[in-house]
């Protein structure tokens, strides 16, 4: 009998072994356990508030534990056309790329794989300079011990984040989230 379990947090786990027929046995059995950690250097990045600032255009990361979402942020100038891709996808992963705006707003810009193991590609022309947010997730909500490859091409400014400049005038635009 084999059992695989995705541990969503650290802790002590108890395992019960029994004979479902309630019989006694004099022969021994063998019990083995194995733990496979997934070393994702970009975690924690489970939401836009902790999105990883991208330092380069290509990286490998993991969707691990089931339901995990990976969030990234990158600066791009106005009229820059960016191309996003998720490739080298684990066989059971059905990836989705979603792009959010400078105020973390939903842009209705996304691409979803049709099948597990498919790669996804997205292109977008930046309407205004600023930090944009990218969410990658597995629509199958599974854990993966293999990484996916995420790439951005087209003129993003990696490792750059503009200084925070608060608005100090009475007629400020406060119609949305401020980054």
């Amino acid at each position: 009998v084999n059992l695989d379990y995705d541990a969503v947090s650290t802790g002590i786990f108890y395992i019960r072994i029994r004979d479902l027929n309630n019989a006694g046995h004099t022969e021994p059995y063998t019990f083995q356990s194995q733990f496979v950690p997934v070393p994702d250097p970009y975690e924690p990045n489970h939401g836009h508030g902790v999105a990883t600032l991208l330092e380069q255009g290509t990286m490998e990361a993991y969707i691990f534990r089931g339901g995990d979402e990976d969030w990234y942020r990158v600066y791009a100038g106005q009229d820059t056309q960016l191309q996003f891709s998720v490739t080298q996808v684990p066989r059971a992963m059905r990836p989705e790329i979603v792009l959010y705006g400078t105020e973390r707003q939903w842009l209705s810009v996304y691409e979803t794989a049709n099948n597990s193991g498919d790669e996804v590609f997205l292109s977008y022309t930046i309407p205004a300079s600023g930090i944009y947010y990218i969410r990658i997730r597995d629509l199958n909500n599974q854990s993966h011990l293999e990484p996916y490859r995420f790439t951005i091409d087209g003129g993003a400014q990696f490792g750059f984040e503009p200084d925070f400049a608060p608005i100090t005038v009475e007629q400020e635009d406060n119609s949305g989230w401020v980054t």
Side-chain angles (χ1 to χ4, degrees):
V1 175
N2 292 310
L3 171 68
D4 289 328
Y5 177 72
D6 287 331
V8 298
S9 62
T10 58
I12 297 173
F13 295 89
Y14 297 92
I15 301 165
R16 179 177 70 176
I17 300 171
R18 66 181 182 143
D19 181 339
L20 292 177
N21 294 322
N22 292 323
H25 299 276
T26 58
E27 303 87 25
Y29 63 86
T30 302
F31 174 75
Q32 295 177 333
S33 67
Q34 178 182 11
F35 173 70
V36 180
V38 178
D40 191 338
Y42 306 103
E43 293 291 346
N45 66 341
H46 56 277
H48 56 71
V50 289
T52 299
L53 179 64
L54 293 176
E55 299 289 335
Q56 59 191 6
T58 300
M59 54 177 279
E60 290 187 349
Y62 295 84
I63 295 293
F64 186 84
R65 67 181 169 64
D68 183 26
E69 295 182 347
D70 288 348
W71 285 74
Y72 305 99
R73 66 189 197 274
V74 68
Y75 183 87
Q78 183 174 352
D79 297 326
T80 301
Q81 184 172 6
L82 298 180
Q83 294 85 35
F84 306 90
S85 64
V86 175
T87 58
Q88 297 182 3
V89 177
R91 189 179 47 140
M93 181 177 168
R94 187 170 160 233
E96 176 187 61
I97 302 173
V98 180
L99 186 63
Y100 290 81
T102 58
E103 294 184 0
R104 302 174 187 159
Q105 76 273 25
W106 168 254
L107 296 175
S108 298
V109 177
Y110 63 96
E111 193 62 46
T112 301
N114 290 325
N115 304 297
S116 297
D118 285 354
E119 298 177 339
V120 290
F121 303 89
L122 175 68
S123 182
Y124 184 71
T125 301
I126 301 298
S129 297
I131 295 283
Y132 286 80
Y133 297 84
I134 305 107
R135 180 185 72 190
I136 297 174
R137 65 181 177 158
D138 175 12
L139 293 176
N140 292 334
N141 290 320
Q142 294 184 10
S143 293
H144 303 282
L145 299 178
E146 306 84 29
Y148 63 86
R149 175 169 283 170
F150 175 48
T151 304
I152 299 178
D153 289 317
Q157 296 181 32
F158 299 108
F160 174 72
E161 194 166 28
D163 293 331
F164 177 68
I167 298 172
T168 58
V169 296
E170 287 290 323
Q171 291 79 24
E172 66 170 286
D173 177 14
N174 62 0
S175 61
W177 293 99
V178 176
T179 57

